[in-house]
Amino acid sequence: MARDLSAEARQAAVDGKVYVILFGAPDCSWCVKVRRNYLAPLNKPTAELKILAREIDIESDERLTDFAGKSISHRAFARARGVRFTPVVVFFDARGDELAESILGMASEDFYGAYLEERLITARDRTIRQPR
C-alpha cells in the first residue's frame, strides 16, 4: 500500500524505476489480476522494465502523504485524482505528474500486458529525459 507518495516517487526516480500506482479496492477481482499477473512480476529485480508499484485503496480512510507532502486518506486522494472505479493504473514522475496515459479497467486480459508495457516504456522514456 502507498504510504508516502512523494518519498516513494523520488526513490523510484533515483533507482531508475517508473512509479506506478494501482488504484484498487478490496472486493475488486480485476485488481487482484492486475496486481498478481502484471505488476508483481515487474516489481522483481530481474524485470526488464523496472517499476516501483504501490496501491491506493479507493475505499480506505487510511492516511498517506501525497506528492505535496500533505496527509490525506487513500479515498480522498483517489477522488481528487478523479478515480471512481477500479482497477486504474497510473504512471507518475517524482513530482506527481503523470508520465503516460492511465490504464482504466481491464477490457481485455489478452491485451492488458501489451497496454501496460507500452505505457511503461513511454513513462520510462519521459523519466529519462527529465532533469533530476
Side-chain angles (χ1 to χ4, degrees):
M1 289 304 231
R3 301 274 182 254
D4 186 334
L5 305 182
S6 179
E8 293 165 354
R10 281 193 314 271
Q11 187 60 52
V14 167
D15 295 342
K17 298 177 179 180
V18 176
Y19 187 56
V20 178
I21 292 183
L22 166 63
F23 289 88
D27 60 348
C28 171
S29 62
W30 294 109
C31 299
V32 172
K33 289 180 182 187
V34 169
R35 184 184 318 110
R36 181 181 48 220
N37 299 341
Y38 300 99
L39 297 180
L42 294 172
N43 247 346
K44 295 180 180 177
T46 56
E48 184 177 333
L49 288 168
K50 307 283 188 218
I51 70 168
L52 176 58
R54 293 293 184 257
E55 188 166 346
I56 290 183
D57 179 348
I58 71 164
E59 298 175 357
S60 174
D61 289 321
E62 183 176 340
R63 306 301 288 179
L64 62 83
T65 303
D66 70 9
F67 289 105
K70 296 180 181 166
S71 178
I72 189 170
S73 72
H74 281 232
R75 178 191 325 263
F77 182 80
R79 289 198 183 275
R81 300 298 291 202
V83 176
R84 303 270 192 270
F85 65 90
T86 61
V88 174
V89 176
V90 185
F91 311 88
F92 290 104
D93 68 10
R95 294 181 304 263
D97 295 325
E98 292 186 32
L99 292 168
E101 183 181 351
S102 300
I103 301 176
L104 309 175
M106 183 182 258
S108 169
E109 283 187 75
D110 295 334
F111 298 107
Y112 196 87
Y115 297 146
L116 179 61
E117 182 176 347
E118 174 188 45
R119 289 346 188 277
L120 285 170
I121 290 169
T122 298
R124 180 197 62 198
D125 292 349
R126 288 182 178 162
T127 300
I128 290 169
R129 289 194 304 265
Q130 288 183 358
R132 295 190 184 183

